[in-house]
Amino acid sequence: VTEFLADNGKASGHAFGPGGELVGVGGALGALVMYDAGGKAVKVCDAVKGNDLVVLNTGDAYVTAPDGTKNEIVHVSPKGEK
């Protein structure tokens, strides 16, 4: 077993994308990110603060509101559009 990611930017939500890539949101990231093979975060969509994350097999992502005060789910398309 080897470590893949030492610092995830305090992301609170993680999921795997349709191609097996790790996707993260929340914490200090302030964005929806995809981690490359070396563990570097690549921004998919800026200004997305979230707590939990679901990624569909289509690549669409759904992110819950970050602090629980809003009843909000944000949709991010595979192209990174909110």
Side-chain angles (χ1 to χ4, degrees):
V1 176
T2 59
E3 180 179 71
F4 170 68
L5 187 62
D7 180 11
N8 71 354
K10 298 183 181 178
S12 59
H14 291 94
F16 289 101
E21 62 280 354
L22 182 61
V23 181
V25 70
L29 295 173
L32 182 71
V33 300
M34 185 180 337
Y35 298 97
D36 68 14
K40 180 183 175 194
V42 178
K43 287 186 182 181
V44 174
C45 184
D46 281 327
V48 176
K49 294 183 179 182
N51 187 44
D52 292 314
L53 168 68
V54 172
V55 181
L56 304 181
N57 63 352
T58 59
D60 291 279
Y62 293 89
V63 181
T64 61
D67 57 10
T69 59
K70 297 179 184 177
N71 291 326
E72 180 178 69
I73 297 175
V74 176
H75 170 256
V76 179
S77 76
K79 294 181 180 182
E81 301 165 339
K82 289 199 292 184

